[in-house]
Amino acid sequence: MSQPAYPIRTARLTLRPVTLDDLDDVYAYQGRTDVARWLREAGPRTREESRASVVAMTGEDALRAEGDCLTLAVVTDAGVIGTVELVWRSASDRTAELGYVFHPDHGGRGLATEAAAALLDWGFDEFGLHRVYARCHGRNDASARLMARLGMRQEAHHVQSHLFRGEWADQLTFAVLAGEWRARAGS
């Protein structure tokens, strides 16, 4: 089993496991149309759907086996403003997938970049990952910009590669290698 030493602290944020007490904050963004726009679900979550989501995330506090998801609440003085996650995709290839969801009211200040970078630091430096990739809808410009700010390079633009709410959609894939991440960080 591998997990960060909790909490992870950055200059402005605290990253920690999700708890049941986070429901109000999580529902505040999961229930928004502008957040649900890029998620596979067919619309904003109800409070009960958010409760089920929070319950599921409370069990995602460590990477125990390939396929596990490590989901961390991103906390400021305003409460939980989003989550960042690493999904362990391959033990033999030392690969994980990065994901994130943030409340739009906290956008534009680099908080998502700061949170994702802290999780990538742990993934590469502590967990020993070789490669981390992330994917987004081809029209999700904000997510693509976040991946680029993290130093991830676009590796693919899959044209009409998946059904998204009944329509064929493009998908962008970005990735960064451990050596690239360390060189970017100057370590």
Side-chain angles (χ1 to χ4, degrees), residues 69-169:
C69 182
L70 172 66
T71 303
L72 301 180
V74 179
V75 185
T76 67
D77 292 341
V80 175
I81 63 164
T83 57
V84 290
E85 68 180 26
L86 275 179
V87 181
W88 190 7
R89 294 295 184 197
S90 173
S92 61
D93 294 332
R94 297 179 11 228
T95 299
E97 182 174 3
L98 175 69
Y100 39 82
V101 180
F102 282 85
H103 194 301
D105 289 354
H106 299 279
R109 297 181 301 172
L111 297 173
T113 304
E114 189 174 323
L119 187 55
L120 288 173
D121 282 341
W122 177 82
F124 287 123
D125 296 339
E126 303 296 324
F127 190 60
L129 292 171
H130 168 69
R131 180 176 181 270
V132 174
Y133 68 93
R135 300 176 288 170
C136 70
H137 190 288
R139 293 194 316 263
N140 189 342
D141 296 332
S143 186
R145 285 192 307 270
L146 172 57
M147 290 182 257
R149 278 194 308 275
L150 288 166
M152 301 177 96
R153 80 187 148 292
Q154 185 175 332
E155 290 189 334
H157 180 155
H158 300 282
V159 177
Q160 295 185 10
S161 60
H162 66 285
L163 278 174
F164 183 82
R165 299 186 186 174
E167 295 181 7
W168 288 108

Side-chain angles (χ1 to χ4, degrees), residues 27-95:
Y27 176 63
Y29 61 85
Q30 285 187 348
R32 291 176 58 129
T33 303
D34 54 349
V35 172
R37 174 182 182 189
W38 301 115
L39 303 177
R40 288 192 179 255
E41 294 89 24
R45 288 187 173 160
T46 65
R47 186 169 178 80
E48 285 309 308
E49 289 169 335
S50 281
R51 181 184 315 282
S53 171
V54 167
V55 167
M57 288 188 285
T58 62
E60 298 173 344
D61 62 345
L63 297 176
R64 295 168 181 86
E66 190 175 273
D68 282 355
C69 182
L70 172 66
T71 303
L72 301 180
V74 179
V75 185
T76 67
D77 292 341
V80 175
I81 63 164
T83 57
V84 290
E85 68 180 26
L86 275 179
V87 181
W88 190 7
R89 294 295 184 197
S90 173
S92 61
D93 294 332
R94 297 179 11 228
T95 299

